[in-house]
Amino acid sequence: MASSSASADVKPELSSSSSSSSSAASAAAAAPSRPVLFWGSGSPPAWRVCAVLLEKGVDFDGRRVQFDSGFLKTPEFLALNPRGLVPSLIDGDLVLYESLAILHYLEDKYPAVRLIPKEPAAKARCLMRMQEANNASSAAGEVVYYVRRTRPESINFPYLRCKFAVLAEELKLWESYLAGAEYLAGPGQGVSLADFAFFPNLAYMVRLGLELEPNYPNLKAYFCRMCARKSILASWPPHWLKSHGLPCLSSSILPPVEGATREACEAVAASAGAGSVPPTDVPCSRMNTADRCPVSARDVVAAAARGEESPAKC
Ligand SMILES: N[C@@H](CCC(=O)N[C@@H](CS)C(=O)NCC(=O)O)C(=O)O
């Protein structure tokens, strides 16, 4: 498993890992002087940690795990993290898992770049939003897993509509949190751990077809604001830059009339399959679903790697 360093200014070669089972053990045994992060492409919790490490300019050793390799369930890895999940962070003798706990650890260990506000009310809001971020991923997951796991002809559209409605309620909350505020710790506050906890969930939803326009203008502006951060761009899940996600969260998968026919369900399945052809270049607009921005994601990431300002103005 190759390793690499990363800083806030460059795109890390976080690609590593042929995931040999001895790697986890050796990572621990070597008690490395810089933290080792096991992560997986497309995992929002792992993205939280990658992004915060980059935001804080921490030199770390990122090891990408392929989810289908079985590596996370090897005895060696389970000895480190009995849950067998990413993210897992090894820092000397300390092994940590659970992304939010890792974010707190990083905040204490690397205080030079502060990501929890000092002022008590803003701090409390930041901590509150961090925890709430998991509600957003649960509400999205309810839709995504139902669509993915149900045969198209068996999809119960009234039931699916309910799940969409719950997700919409959840998103309305986040929309309201951003009223008059650029970031989630509240008006006048800068970026904080709350943003790094929430944004990967939002980006996951957008990748899966969530339309931020016209219903969520604050979230849309926030999405673009966060997209312009080098730490976010540099840690963007690599495989998301190469392929579309299945558009499970696009409201277009709901037929206009309830009680869908079999043909309508098959059309839904076919449209979900539209994401299976990887494009050579993913326009930013496909990440945003806004169809406004002509800049490609590849350009955005390349600019970040050169230390330039993001060309994405979408
Ligand atoms: N609550 C955990 C969730 C971690 C988690 O679910 N990780 C997933 C990826 S998103 C994973 O490692 N899945 C691998 C597997 O289930 O084998 C956290 O916040 O870190």
Side-chain angles (χ1 to χ4, degrees):
M1 186 181 278
S3 66
S4 59
S5 61
S7 79
D9 292 320
V10 292
K11 182 177 193 313
E13 288 299 310
L14 288 178
S15 60
S16 50
S17 134
S18 53
S19 304
S20 71
S21 61
S22 61
S23 300
S26 62
S33 55
R34 54 187 187 145
V36 174
L37 174 68
F38 288 93
W39 66 284
S41 182
S43 157
W47 190 1
R48 290 170 170 173
V49 177
C50 282
V52 166
L53 283 163
L54 292 173
E55 186 76 22
K56 285 178 171 282
V58 177
D59 180 24
F60 70 102
D61 176 352
R63 302 188 181 197
R64 179 176 173 181
V65 173
Q66 301 294 342
F67 288 113
D68 57 2
S69 68
F71 172 71
L72 292 174
K73 305 300 183 255
T74 58
E76 289 83 359
F77 190 82
L78 290 172
L80 293 173
N81 176 350
R83 296 191 182 274
L85 300 173
V86 292
S88 296
L89 186 86
I90 304 172
D91 193 11
D93 292 334
L94 182 68
V95 182
L96 289 176
Y97 43 91
E98 285 303 321
S99 56
L100 297 183
I102 298 174
L103 298 196
H104 281 286
Y105 174 73
L106 296 177
E107 179 69 1
D108 289 339
K109 177 97 191 263
Y110 304 102
V113 175
R114 280 261 165 229
L115 292 175
I116 295 182
K118 274 206 157 36
E119 192 271 316
K123 175 176 178 177
R125 208 160 30 235
C126 168
L127 301 182
M128 188 162 67
R129 302 290 182 245
M130 279 177 81
Q131 293 188 47
E132 281 184 272
N134 288 345
N135 295 346
S137 56
S138 302
E142 283 285 318
V143 176
V144 172
Y145 295 124
Y146 180 71
V147 173
R148 280 189 182 158
R149 290 174 183 166
T150 310
R151 285 197 311 275
E153 66 272 22
S154 306
I155 287 178
N156 177 329
F157 281 97
Y159 180 67
L160 183 57
R161 266 184 206 284
C162 287
K163 290 185 180 291
F164 263 97
V166 170
L167 176 60
E169 286 305 310
E170 178 67 28
L171 289 169
K172 272 188 223 154
L173 280 181
W174 293 92
E175 176 71 9
S176 73
Y177 298 158
L178 288 163
E182 291 197 336
Y183 297 103
L184 288 168
Q189 299 298 321
V191 74
S192 74
L193 288 186
D195 302 293
F196 291 100
F198 174 70
F199 177 79
N201 295 340
L202 180 64
Y204 171 79
M205 292 184 234
V206 168
R207 170 172 165 80
L208 297 188
L210 174 75
E211 294 100 1
L212 294 180
E213 288 179 319
N215 293 333
Y216 309 108
N218 297 337
L219 278 170
K220 166 73 175 140
Y222 173 78
F223 184 86
C224 293
R225 197 171 296 127
M226 289 297 287
C227 276
R229 296 196 82 80
K230 285 181 191 168
S231 61
I232 289 294
L233 290 168
S235 53
W236 203 275
H239 84 275
W240 287 11
L241 296 171
K242 298 192 192 123
S243 64
H244 296 306
L246 297 183
C248 318
L249 293 176
S250 167
S251 56
S252 65
I253 76 165
L254 291 171
V257 180
E258 296 198 358
T261 62
R262 185 189 167 84
E263 286 72 16
C265 294
E266 280 169 356
V268 169
S271 81
S276 62
V277 182
T280 52
D281 212 2
V282 184
C284 185
S285 57
R286 291 307 291 259
M287 297 199 293
N288 296 345
T289 68
D291 293 318
R292 295 264 188 279
C293 176
V295 178
S296 78
R298 193 168 297 165
D299 293 341
V300 170
V301 171
R306 291 193 300 269
E308 293 168 6
E309 200 184 325
S310 168
K313 301 295 180 207
C314 50

